[in-house]
Amino acid sequence: IEFRQPHFLEAIIDYGSFRQASVALGVEQSALSASIAKLERVLSMHLVSDRDQALQPLLQNRIDPVIAA
């Protein structure tokens, strides 16, 4: 895992889109998408879903209880 990938994922979730996150981070959208795709391959799982036009973190239900503990 590259140092910037978790930061990129957090920005995508916070901003709700790859485009807005790429603008906020000052990186090309294609670079951001490629970085997240690489992270998904390393982890062998999808991390975000953009079906229905709304970006949703797929692990949110698993992450929230851990953070709350």
Side-chain angles (χ1 to χ4, degrees), residues 5-21:
Q5 288 171 321
H7 181 64
F8 283 1
L9 180 59
E10 180 181 27
I12 292 164
I13 293 167
D14 288 347
Y15 287 97
S17 76
F18 280 80
R19 187 185 69 74
Q20 290 177 339

Side-chain angles (χ1 to χ4, degrees), residues 3-5 8 11 18-19 23-25 28 31 33 41 46 48-49 51 57 61-62 65-67 69:
F3 175 74
R4 64 186 185 165
Q5 288 171 321
F8 283 1
F18 280 80
R19 187 185 69 74
V23 170
L25 293 167
E28 294 290 327
S33 296
R41 282 192 303 276
H46 293 288
V48 293
S49 172
R51 295 178 219 146
N61 292 335
R62 294 182 185 169
V66 173
I67 293 172

Side-chain angles (χ1 to χ4, degrees), residues 14-49:
D14 288 347
Y15 287 97
S17 76
F18 280 80
R19 187 185 69 74
Q20 290 177 339
S22 68
V23 170
L25 293 167
V27 299
E28 294 290 327
Q29 184 174 342
S30 59
L32 182 62
S33 296
S35 181
I36 295 303
K38 184 176 179 181
L39 180 60
E40 289 177 327
R41 282 192 303 276
V42 167
L43 297 175
S44 299
M45 62 188 337
H46 293 288
L47 299 172
V48 293
S49 172

